[in-house]
């Protein structure tokens, strides 16, 4: 059993030592202080009963409960230490070296029996990345990445490879937590235009094209971090790039992917509080995103979103514990709003009518009321506020309109107007062609813009989140309506 009082290991300029936890915070006698700066590595076992450290000469293991030194190994160059989940094995790693004549170096990854202190197996492990083998929590299986394969051992028998998972250019893997059935997530980086992908398998079913439980491919991934949930039913994949090509971030780009063992997958939306930095978007499983983004939280079939203040990038992702311990059976997917609304040619050219006047008798009523933006300063003599620029433009517009009407009256004063046919409605001017092809073309384009704006407004009313350029289009509706009215009236 671990001590009732928690211990804190401290490494600094005064060497390596232990401190008793609250309430005293005094130096502990469990561990004799190692003075000097050569103590650079140490680790506790998963249950806290064992402690291993290296002092530049040896690697030692003590029992924290009875303060007894269990084993000492002559490994002066060791830089990494790790206990297996049940303290059965101590794994040590030293940098791989070759001789001056180019001959292969000695095995640098050792696995020691925690009880007897004997070396069970030595491997050549050239890279420090993912150096340590991975065990299941019950230590029934152990796995390590070797070239294009993941080798699996059973019951800590490292002399026999029980199974192999072969994938070209496999870069990383993560075993699922818990007991059987064991699952493994593997990552293969993309190359030559091909996407990266993560696949989920159930041990030992690795053979055949349909052996994978799930597959998720994606671009923009220089490296990934894979996180299983506690029930081993889904994996979160944080994919990141070293450089953000858009220039939005100094730290590169990050995307968060959700992959379930039942085959479902999605991209989780992350949005900064500034409302502009969207990594990508679509799904919301039961998860919590820490440090500066939105928290997406499921309660039954209801999705809740909470803003978390931050000025930084994505740093950590963790599963939020739930009493039932499972993910919702159904995920929510949001359809992305297209940046450009496809234009459709109307079958019949008709004057634009706002929704309030549709399905009503045709009249000569005004199509719209002038409504300036709310931030305009109020001016004397106006019911609604107008800015200086708006007042100036209004005066120019009225002067231009008066000049055109005066010129038209002078031109037609000597010619009697022809009587209009009895069958033509009073508002035929707004529906018939103007006689000028250029004007007709402008009218047609304006109607297309108004139709697109109407579609955007309907999408916004339905709860869709519009992009910045789409909101700007809606704001131009008043100006477009005014221009359309002027063209149809021949002004």
């Amino acid at each position: 059993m671990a001590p009732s009082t928690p211990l804190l290991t401290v490494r600094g300029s005064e060497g390596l030592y232990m401190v008793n936890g609250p309430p005293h915070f005094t130096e502990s006698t469990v561990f004799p202080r190692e003075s000097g700066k050569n103590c650079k590595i140490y680790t506790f076992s998963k249950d806290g009963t064992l402690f291993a450290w290296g002092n530049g000469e040896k690697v030692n293991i003590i029992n924290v409960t009875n303060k007894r030194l269990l084993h000492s190994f002559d490994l002066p160059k060791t830089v990494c230490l790790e206990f297996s989940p049940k303290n059965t094995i101590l794994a040590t790693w030293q940098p791989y070296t070759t001789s001056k004549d180019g001959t292969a170096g000695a095995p640098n990854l050792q696995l020691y029996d925690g009880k007897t202190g004997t070396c069970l197996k030595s491997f050549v492990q050239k890279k420090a990345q993912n150096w340590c083998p991975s065990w299941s929590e019950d230590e029934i299986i152990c796995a390590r990445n070797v070239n294009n394969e993941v080798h699996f051992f059973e019951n800590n028998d490292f002399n026999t490879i029980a199974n192999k998972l072969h994938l070209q250019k496999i870069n990383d893997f993560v075993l699922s937590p818990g007991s059987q059935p064991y699952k493994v997530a593997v990552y293969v980086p993309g190359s030559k235009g091909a996407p990266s992908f993560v696949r989920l398998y159930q041990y030992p079913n690795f053979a055949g094209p349909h052996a994978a439980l799930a597959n998720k491919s994606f671009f923009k991934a220089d490296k990934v971090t894979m996180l299983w949930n506690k029930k081993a039913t889904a994996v979160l994949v944080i994919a990141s790039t070293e450089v953000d090509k858009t220039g939005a971030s100094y730290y590169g780009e990050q995307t968060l992917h959700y992959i379930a063992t039942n085959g479902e997958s999605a991209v989780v939306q992350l949005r900064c509080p500034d409302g502009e930095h969207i990594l990508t978007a679509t799904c919301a499983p039961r998860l919590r995103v820490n440090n500066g983004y939105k928290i997406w939280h499921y309660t039954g079939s209801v999705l809740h979103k909470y803003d978390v203040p931050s000025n930084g990038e994505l740093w950590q992702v963790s599963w939020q514990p739930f009493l039932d311990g499972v993910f919702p059976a159904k995920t929510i997917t949001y359809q992305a709003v297209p940046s450009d609304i496809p234009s459709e040619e109307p079958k019949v050219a008709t004057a634009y009518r706002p929704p309030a006047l549709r399905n009503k008798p045709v009249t000569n009523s005004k199509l719209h009321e002038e409504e300036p933006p709310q931030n305009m300063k109020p001016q004397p003599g106006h019911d609604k506020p107008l800015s200086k620029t708006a007042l100036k433009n209004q005066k120019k517009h009225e002067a231009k309109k008066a000049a055109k009407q005066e010129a038209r009256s002078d031109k037609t004063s000597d010619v009697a107007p022809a009587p209009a046919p009895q069958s033509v409605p009073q508002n035929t001017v707004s529906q018939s062609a103007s006689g000028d092809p250029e004007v007709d073309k402008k009218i047609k384009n304006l109607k297309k813009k108004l139709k697109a704006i109407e579609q955007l407004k309907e999408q916004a009313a339905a709860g869709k989140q519009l992009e910045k350029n789409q909101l700007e289009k809606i704001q131009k509706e008043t100006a477009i309506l005014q221009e359309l009215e002027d063209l149809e009236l021949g002004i």
Side-chain angles (χ1 to χ4, degrees):
M1 295 177 62
S4 57
T5 301
L7 296 173
L8 175 67
T9 303
V10 179
R11 185 175 73 89
S13 59
E14 298 180 350
L16 184 71
Y17 57 99
M18 285 188 183
V19 176
N20 292 310
H24 303 295
F25 295 100
T26 56
E27 185 168 346
S28 174
T29 60
V30 170
F31 174 75
R33 178 189 287 259
E34 285 270 12
S35 301
K37 299 181 180 180
N38 292 325
C39 294
K40 298 182 179 180
I41 54 168
Y42 61 88
T43 185
F44 278 101
S45 62
K46 298 296 187 295
D47 61 2
T49 59
L50 302 181
F51 181 76
W53 78 99
N55 57 15
E57 295 180 1
K58 295 180 180 294
V59 170
N60 306 301
I61 305 177
I62 63 169
N63 187 308
V64 178
T65 305
N66 55 26
K67 310 179 185 180
R68 186 165 64 92
L69 178 66
L70 299 179
H71 305 291
S72 183
F73 310 107
D74 291 323
L75 299 169
K77 297 181 180 180
T78 299
V79 295
C80 295
L81 296 172
E82 188 71 34
F83 281 103
S84 62
K86 298 178 69 175
N87 309 342
T88 308
I89 306 292
L90 174 68
T92 68
W93 185 82
Q94 305 173 81
Y96 180 76
T97 58
T98 58
S99 60
K100 293 182 179 180
D101 59 3
T103 57
N108 60 323
L109 168 60
Q110 280 79 32
L111 302 179
Y112 290 93
D113 189 307
K115 291 183 178 180
T116 64
T118 58
C119 184
L120 299 177
K121 189 69 175 179
S122 294
F123 296 102
V124 171
Q125 176 66 35
K126 296 183 178 181
K127 296 182 179 180
Q129 179 186 6
N130 303 324
W131 70 272
C132 188
S134 295
W135 280 270
S136 59
E137 291 182 356
D138 55 11
E139 292 193 13
I140 297 298
I141 65 172
C142 176
R144 62 184 297 262
N145 190 1
V146 182
N147 297 327
N148 295 318
E149 295 178 335
V150 178
H151 292 179
F152 291 86
F153 307 91
E154 295 183 352
N155 300 311
N156 288 325
D157 179 6
F158 299 102
N159 294 314
T160 303
I161 300 176
N163 286 283
K164 295 181 180 180
L165 171 58
H166 179 83
L167 281 175
Q168 287 293 333
K169 299 182 179 180
I170 185 172
N171 180 272
D172 195 8
F173 73 95
V174 179
L175 292 179
S176 63
S179 57
Q180 300 183 33
Y182 309 111
K183 302 180 183 70
V184 58
V186 295
Y187 164 64
V188 175
S191 60
K192 297 181 180 180
S196 306
F197 63 86
V198 169
R199 289 179 184 169
L200 309 185
Y201 292 91
Q202 181 170 306
Y203 180 84
N205 303 324
F206 304 138
H210 304 293
L213 300 174
N215 179 80
K216 178 67 176 179
S217 59
F218 44 84
F219 290 94
K220 297 182 179 180
D222 295 332
K223 61 180 180 179
V224 303
T225 301
M226 295 177 286
L227 304 172
W228 282 96
N229 65 344
K230 290 185 179 181
K231 288 290 184 177
T233 56
V235 175
L236 285 178
V237 180
I238 307 172
S240 59
T241 61
E242 298 296 335
V243 179
D244 185 357
K245 295 182 180 179
T246 65
S249 170
Y250 175 80
Y251 299 99
E253 296 179 84
Q254 302 89 24
T255 52
L256 183 59
H257 304 269
Y258 166 79
I259 311 174
T261 54
N262 62 3
E264 294 182 359
S265 64
V267 184
V268 183
Q269 179 173 1
L270 301 178
R271 175 181 288 277
C272 287
D274 60 13
E276 294 183 358
H277 295 85
I278 301 176
L279 302 180
T280 187
T282 59
C283 181
R286 280 186 176 176
L287 63 96
R288 179 178 62 202
V289 180
N290 295 333
N291 294 350
Y293 292 86
K294 283 188 182 293
I295 295 176
W296 301 77
H297 169 57
Y298 245 121
T299 303
S301 59
V302 180
L303 178 69
H304 304 278
K305 294 176 285 186
Y306 308 96
D307 287 322
V308 182
S310 172
N311 296 321
E313 301 295 320
L314 175 66
W315 286 97
Q316 180 184 357
V317 176
S318 61
W319 293 99
Q320 182 179 15
F322 279 75
L323 294 178
D324 56 8
V326 299
F327 283 89
K330 184 178 180 181
T331 57
I332 292 181
T333 302
Y334 297 94
Q335 298 295 330
V337 178
S339 57
D340 295 320
I341 301 298
S343 59
E344 298 180 1
E345 294 291 339
K347 295 182 179 180
V348 180
T350 58
Y352 172 80
R353 303 193 73 205
L357 297 181
R358 294 174 184 174
N359 300 322
K360 292 184 179 181
V362 178
T363 65
N364 285 329
S365 60
K366 197 172 184 179
L367 291 177
H368 69 285
E369 292 294 333
E370 305 241 353
E371 183 177 354
Q374 295 180 359
N375 60 350
M376 298 302 185
K377 296 181 179 180
Q379 298 293 331
H382 291 275
D383 293 336
K384 294 184 179 180
L386 290 177
S387 67
K388 293 181 179 180
T389 304
L391 286 172
K392 185 177 180 180
N393 292 335
Q394 185 184 46
K395 291 180 180 179
K396 288 183 178 180
H397 177 74
E398 291 175 352
K400 185 178 179 181
K401 183 176 180 180
K404 287 186 176 181
Q405 289 178 342
E406 184 178 356
R408 180 181 296 176
S409 61
D410 292 342
K411 183 177 179 181
T412 59
S413 59
D414 298 332
V415 180
Q422 296 297 322
S423 60
V424 178
Q426 293 181 357
N427 64 339
T428 303
V429 177
S430 63
Q431 296 189 15
S432 60
S434 65
D436 188 341
E438 291 298 326
V439 174
D440 291 342
K441 184 176 180 180
K442 290 181 180 180
I443 292 175
K444 184 177 180 180
N445 289 335
L446 291 174
K447 290 178 180 178
K448 287 167 60 177
K449 290 181 180 180
L450 290 171
K451 185 173 183 179
I453 289 174
E454 193 64 30
Q455 292 177 350
L456 291 175
K457 291 168 69 176
E458 291 175 356
Q459 291 176 356
K464 300 285 185 178
Q465 185 169 2
L466 302 184
E467 298 180 2
K468 185 177 180 180
N469 64 327
Q470 294 173 322
L471 294 174
E472 291 175 352
K473 288 181 181 179
I474 294 178
Q475 294 174 358
K476 296 177 182 179
E477 182 181 19
T478 301
I480 294 174
L481 284 168
Q482 180 63 58
E483 185 179 357
L484 176 62
E485 182 181 359
D486 291 347
L487 290 174
E488 290 181 334
L489 294 175
I491 300 174

